[in-house]
Amino acid sequence: MMRFLFTFVLFISLFSNHLRAQATGNFIKASIGYGSSSSYYIEDYGSQDEVDVMGGGLYLQGEYIIGLKSWFSIRPYAGAIFESVDKDQNLQNQPQYKVTTNAFLMGGKVRLCAPIPWVAPFIEGGIGTSIGKFETFTPNVNFNKSDVLLHIPFSIGLAVGRHNNFEIGISGYFHPAAKQSTAVFALGYNFPLD
């Protein structure tokens, strides 16, 4: 038993500096995924119950990562989301409800990451700007503008791999003015710059 404890303590002492959730330094992160927008409200669509009014499409994002600590980083970002809805031509004389976002996103966020090797859970939050076209056409909301809007990003996910270079995450971009939110499932990879 003493031999096991000695070996365990020696192992932890020698390799503790390699057990980090995210490295400090500068990185570039590239992400790709699927985004889907929906209204803030629970809506009653009448006879259109089976019509999908949520927009969906491609999500792309790049981040410049400033890793200050193994558990804390600052992340300015720029990205884009391109969504559309299926048009159902079989519905006659009924409004075509839809919620879509086609915009360029930019802003800044911070990440708190658990210092666990190989699989490190994280949470992110921040503030940003969206520039593009926003449509929220539902029974309760009629918003259709090309504008510059505030958005609030929020993410949870896992940084995985030997150096935690791969990421799997779920993000939300909340647009209060357009009364809509965009949920994103994305995969990312970090490229070290140092």
Side-chain angles (χ1 to χ4, degrees):
M1 183 66 170
M2 289 300 287
R3 187 181 305 183
F4 172 75
L5 287 175
F6 176 74
T7 306
F8 180 73
V9 170
L10 182 64
F11 177 78
I12 294 297
S13 299
L14 292 175
F15 295 104
S16 63
N17 63 335
H18 296 293
L19 302 178
R20 294 187 176 158
Q22 66 182 13
T24 56
N26 298 329
F27 297 82
I28 295 287
K29 176 185 160 194
S31 299
I32 187 167
Y34 178 79
S36 178
S37 292
S38 64
S39 170
Y40 273 4
Y41 305 107
I42 297 173
E43 305 273 0
D44 178 18
Y45 294 100
S47 61
Q48 289 187 317
D49 286 337
E50 298 179 14
V51 176
D52 185 12
V53 299
M54 294 176 18
L58 179 66
Y59 167 81
L60 302 167
Q61 182 171 290
E63 296 178 14
Y64 180 72
I65 302 168
I66 305 164
L68 301 175
K69 299 284 185 185
S70 64
W71 54 272
F72 180 77
S73 62
I74 298 172
R75 297 167 172 255
Y77 64 89
I81 188 158
F82 305 102
E83 297 176 344
S84 63
V85 292
D86 293 332
K87 300 214 186 282
D88 190 346
Q89 300 301 324
N90 296 328
L91 297 174
Q92 298 296 323
N93 301 319
Q94 294 188 33
Q96 294 293 312
Y97 295 125
K98 60 183 168 180
V99 181
T100 61
T101 302
N102 290 289
F104 176 71
L105 312 167
M106 62 183 170
K109 53 189 174 178
V110 296
R111 174 183 286 188
L112 298 176
C113 190
I116 301 171
W118 288 94
V119 178
F122 64 82
I123 186 168
E124 297 176 341
I127 193 162
T129 300
S130 300
I131 304 166
K133 182 163 178 60
F134 306 88
E135 284 185 285
T136 309
F137 180 48
T138 67
N140 293 323
V141 180
N142 187 2
F143 185 92
N144 184 356
K145 286 187 180 177
S146 294
D147 208 346
V148 177
L149 300 179
L150 167 83
H151 72 253
I152 301 165
F154 177 80
S155 303
I156 58 171
L158 297 172
V160 297
R162 180 180 176 124
H163 301 290
N164 299 114
N165 286 351
F166 294 95
E167 294 183 7
I168 302 166
I170 299 170
S171 301
Y173 293 89
F174 302 96
H175 293 95
K179 305 287 191 288
Q180 66 170 253
S181 60
T182 303
V184 174
F185 175 77
L187 302 173
Y189 184 77
N190 296 335
F191 300 94
L193 296 177
D194 295 340

